[in-house]
Amino acid sequence: MHLGIDIGGTKTDAVAIDGTGQMLAQFRISTGYGAPGVLDTAEQAVRGMIDRLELDLPDIKSIGIGVPGRVDSAHGRVVHAVNLGVEGLNLGEDLASRLGKQVHVENDVNAAALGAFHLMDANGWPEGGWPITPTPSSLIHSMAYLNLGTGLAAGVVIDGSLWRGSRGTAGEIGHIPVDPNGPVCPCGQVGCLELFASGTALLRQWPSEEQRPAQHLFESAEKGDAEAIHVRNGLLESVASAVRILVLAVDVDLVVIGGGIASVGSPLLEGIRNVLEEWAKHSAFLTSLALAERIRLVPSGVPIAALGAAFAGAIGTAKAEATVRVA
Amino acid sequence: MHLGIDIGGTKTDAVAIDGTGQMLAQFRISTGYGAPGVLDTAEQAVRGMIDRLELDLPDIKSIGIGVPGRVDSAHGRVVHAVNLGVEGLNLGEDLASRLGKQVHVENDVNAAALGAFHLMDANGWPEGGWPITPTPSSLIHSMAYLNLGTGLAAGVVIDGSLWRGSRGTAGEIGHIPVDPNGPVCPCGQVGCLELFASGTALLRQWPSEEQRPAQHLFESAEKGDAEAIHVRNGLLESVASAVRILVLAVDVDLVVIGGGIASVGSPLLEGIRNVLEEWAKHSAFLTSLALAERIRLVPSGVPIAALGAAFAGAIGTAKAEATVRVA
């Protein structure tokens, strides 16, 4: 039994998977604020899952936590998780000492990337379960998970493993400037991609009190609202730019799109595909890259980051045990 | 003994290294045109090295070739090597059948990336030789080699291995658009980075009959020529943008800069560093990435791509032999 917890800005998802990757249970709780609140939430999620499945702690083989902010997975430390009110927290160590059990901590977008990699095969989402370790017959060796949330960031899987980068910032393409005449970004730069392709970008251009502003934008555009069409097309172009950057820089097999805006579903996916196909008409180079064929969407309702956290915990714990055995 | 050959648009470099990576011989010949010319050049380079070292073919443990264009390393095939006049060539197979010996073929920028990775330690270039396999004590696990040649492209090394990508196009960041109001690129897109940071970009903005136009530009700027200062600063900004893209997307430990423009030497390196430091002053986010500390320059006169081709050949041949043993 492997537990995966995804700590979001307002909600925390918990899942349990068995050794073959089959999901056995799933629930959602509210996230507490600040370092103590986040720590309590994580403990509550773990203990809640154990109660629900009528297990004891020793039945749990691994625990993986996904959390926003800059994460040092080797030491289980998270810093600058602004939405959670966390400046710095030794989440791995502190939770492990409360539970008496090792905990693996991963950035939430990286966890989602690992989740997408293990859940997705070349043609889509498998019907049943999924293997925890990629089978040698898999056609997919690399993947980027592109998260369209409050901001824009990606997680990168290369040769079947999460690639966090030198300082844990691989996939931070939201802060690549794409327009010298664009607005100033809170990061201090000008014209960052995130200013054109994110939840924040959407609300700036399409202010809305709706519960689901992205759906509202796409529905308004579909009904013929000229401003909505303009904003929607700009958003689609910018997400397509993010896909192009990921493929040109890393040349991943697939780019899987998730996050709040992804809940728009097929109008989003088809819209991005149309932009990529339009671009390819004017460039033999882009045609050769087959960008439109490489994108997928996370199906609505799949707790991809929590599942990925469970995979990350299982892989991290297996590695740690192997190291102990060798030593 | 491992041979490395780098087939360039006009010149071809040949090197021989021993098992510890020490370079034993080096020479340069002219490159023939078209598929038959390139094949003859490669054979001539191999046989020339064997004669020079007074060896026989069985003394050669591996042969690696670096070549421009899109390369399928698994099958030794190169296509679209425009500067060589090669539309398609089974370089690996055809050369192997002439020599009676296996040949490994690699894209030249990828070969240079592998060369830079093995030659470079955290602080600079090692005094003596270098290990063919990275030592576990190495501080460098990932690297991008940024080639400022006729165009702009990068090779990426991740976890000590060359990452070619899904279709061999990893690191093709020269065709990421960075300015919607920029010029049209021969690739069909608008405002590609390569239009601002490459040998072609330099000649467009600073037309010159000089043998070394980049040096001439930097010297003229140093002397106070206002137009030269403007063009030089634009070039430095755009190369710095390429570094930023590589670090944000892949988060490599180091970006090593090479290619024709790199022969300008320390005025180029210092100029790029200054731009990166200036950017960091306005962005805590960029400051945290320490971009200026991550760049290095290939020292002038080091046949980095030929050395990398030799490493690629040694690694590729060792892998192929291991596969045969297992099978």
Side-chain angles (χ1 to χ4, degrees):
Chain A
M1 183 75 56
H2 305 271
L3 303 195
I5 317 285
D6 174 41
I7 301 176
T10 54
K11 299 285 176 191
T12 290
D13 281 318
V15 302
I17 61 174
D18 66 16
T20 68
Q22 200 68 36
M23 187 160 72
L24 303 175
Q26 169 187 10
F27 64 82
R28 174 173 274 199
I29 56 176
S30 294
T31 305
Y33 192 77
V38 165
L39 190 55
D40 286 348
T41 302
E43 184 181 4
Q44 192 188 335
V46 171
R47 296 201 187 275
M49 186 60 85
I50 289 170
D51 288 350
R52 180 171 295 222
L53 293 173
E54 298 179 353
L55 297 171
D56 298 308
L57 253 172
D59 299 325
I60 308 300
K61 289 223 178 68
S62 69
I63 300 171
I65 317 266
V67 63
R70 201 167 285 191
V71 174
D72 174 356
S73 286
H75 302 98
R77 184 165 171 76
V78 52
V79 295
H80 304 312
V82 183
N83 290 344
L84 301 178
V86 171
E87 189 39 53
L89 172 62
N90 289 316
L91 180 54
E93 211 171 275
D94 292 357
L95 185 58
S97 80
R98 285 195 185 186
L99 297 171
K101 202 164 188 72
Q102 199 200 324
V103 172
H104 181 89
V105 184
E106 199 65 65
N107 168 272
D108 59 348
V109 173
N110 282 347
L114 203 59
F117 183 77
H118 286 285
L119 281 159
M120 180 76 85
D121 76 4
N123 301 309
W125 298 86
E127 288 294 315
W130 48 85
I132 281 211
T133 40
T135 55
S137 67
S138 167
L139 293 170
I140 302 298
H141 305 285
S142 59
M143 178 180 284
Y145 168 77
L146 176 61
N147 193 65
L148 305 176
T150 312
L152 179 149
V156 179
V157 173
I158 285 182
D159 257 350
S161 297
L162 199 55
W163 173 248
R164 300 179 186 90
S166 172
R167 300 173 188 223
T169 65
E172 283 285 358
I173 61 164
H175 294 289
I176 292 178
V178 292
D179 185 356
N181 300 311
V184 173
C185 183
C187 86
Q189 302 188 91
V190 170
C192 289
L193 181 58
E194 177 168 300
L195 300 169
F196 305 99
S198 65
T200 310
L202 189 149
L203 282 174
R204 191 187 75 236
Q205 299 169 86
W206 183 255
S208 162
E209 299 291 316
E210 301 283 333
Q211 186 102 37
R212 305 173 76 195
Q215 278 84 342
H216 183 246
L217 170 70
F218 275 73
E219 283 161 20
S220 303
E222 197 51 48
K223 285 177 192 154
D225 182 312
E227 179 61 17
I229 291 172
H230 176 71
V231 172
R232 179 199 62 185
N233 291 355
L235 180 75
L236 293 172
E237 287 254 348
S238 298
V239 177
S241 295
V243 172
R244 177 173 52 190
I245 287 173
L246 288 166
V247 172
L248 286 174
V250 193
D251 190 16
V252 283
D253 289 319
L254 291 182
V255 177
V256 179
I257 298 167
I261 293 177
S263 61
V264 166
S266 57
L268 178 74
L269 187 66
E270 289 314 308
I272 302 165
R273 280 223 170 102
N274 289 343
V275 173
L276 294 170
E277 281 165 1
E278 193 56 38
W279 286 350
K281 283 182 194 163
H282 306 286
S283 169
F285 173 69
L286 286 188
T287 302
S288 77
L289 297 180
L291 296 174
E293 296 168 21
R294 298 206 209 184
I295 57 171
R296 303 285 185 278
L297 208 61
V298 175
S300 195
V302 174
I304 188 94
L307 288 165
F311 293 130
I315 295 166
T317 303
K319 274 192 189 159
E321 281 171 3
T323 310
V324 170
R325 274 199 297 274
V326 169
Chain B
M1 185 74 59
H2 305 271
L3 302 196
I5 317 285
D6 174 41
I7 301 176
T10 54
K11 299 285 175 189
T12 290
D13 281 318
V15 301
I17 61 175
D18 66 16
T20 70
Q22 200 68 37
M23 186 161 72
L24 303 176
Q26 170 186 10
F27 64 82
R28 176 172 272 199
I29 56 177
S30 295
T31 304
Y33 192 78
V38 165
L39 190 56
D40 287 348
T41 303
E43 184 181 5
Q44 192 189 335
V46 172
R47 296 202 187 275
M49 186 59 85
I50 289 169
D51 288 350
R52 179 171 298 219
L53 293 172
E54 297 179 355
L55 297 170
D56 297 308
L57 254 173
D59 299 324
I60 307 299
K61 289 223 177 69
S62 70
I63 301 171
I65 316 265
V67 64
R70 200 167 283 192
V71 174
D72 174 355
S73 286
H75 302 98
R77 182 164 174 79
V78 52
V79 295
H80 303 312
V82 183
N83 290 343
L84 301 178
V86 171
E87 189 41 49
L89 171 63
N90 289 316
L91 180 54
E93 210 173 278
D94 291 357
L95 185 57
S97 80
R98 284 196 187 186
L99 296 170
K101 203 164 186 72
Q102 198 199 325
V103 172
H104 181 88
V105 183
E106 199 66 66
N107 168 271
D108 59 348
V109 173
N110 282 348
L114 203 60
F117 183 77
H118 286 286
L119 281 158
M120 179 76 86
D121 76 5
N123 300 308
W125 297 86
E127 288 294 315
W130 49 84
I132 280 209
T133 39
T135 56
S137 67
S138 167
L139 293 169
I140 302 298
H141 305 286
S142 59
M143 178 179 283
Y145 168 77
L146 176 59
N147 193 64
L148 305 176
T150 311
L152 179 149
V156 179
V157 174
I158 285 183
D159 258 351
S161 296
L162 199 55
W163 173 250
R164 299 179 187 91
S166 172
R167 298 174 188 222
T169 65
E172 283 285 357
I173 61 164
H175 294 289
I176 292 178
V178 292
D179 186 354
N181 299 310
V184 173
C185 183
C187 86
Q189 301 187 92
V190 170
C192 289
L193 181 58
E194 178 168 298
L195 300 169
F196 305 98
S198 65
T200 308
L202 190 148
L203 283 175
R204 190 188 76 236
Q205 298 169 87
W206 184 255
S208 162
E209 299 291 317
E210 301 283 332
Q211 185 102 39
R212 306 172 76 194
Q215 278 85 344
H216 183 246
L217 170 71
F218 275 72
E219 283 161 17
S220 304
E222 197 51 49
K223 285 179 191 152
D225 181 312
E227 180 60 18
I229 292 172
H230 175 74
V231 172
R232 179 200 62 185
N233 292 357
L235 180 74
L236 292 172
E237 287 255 349
S238 298
V239 177
S241 294
V243 172
R244 177 173 53 190
I245 287 172
L246 288 167
V247 172
L248 286 174
V250 194
D251 190 16
V252 283
D253 290 319
L254 291 182
V255 177
V256 178
I257 299 167
I261 293 177
S263 62
V264 166
S266 57
L268 177 74
L269 186 66
E270 290 313 310
I272 302 165
R273 279 221 170 102
N274 290 344
V275 172
L276 294 170
E277 281 166 1
E278 194 56 40
W279 286 349
K281 283 183 194 162
H282 306 286
S283 169
F285 173 70
L286 286 187
T287 302
S288 77
L289 298 180
L291 296 175
E293 297 167 21
R294 299 206 209 184
I295 57 171
R296 303 286 186 278
L297 208 62
V298 174
S300 195
V302 174
I304 190 91
L307 288 165
F311 293 130
I315 295 165
T317 302
K319 274 191 189 159
E321 281 171 2
T323 309
V324 169
R325 273 199 298 275
V326 168

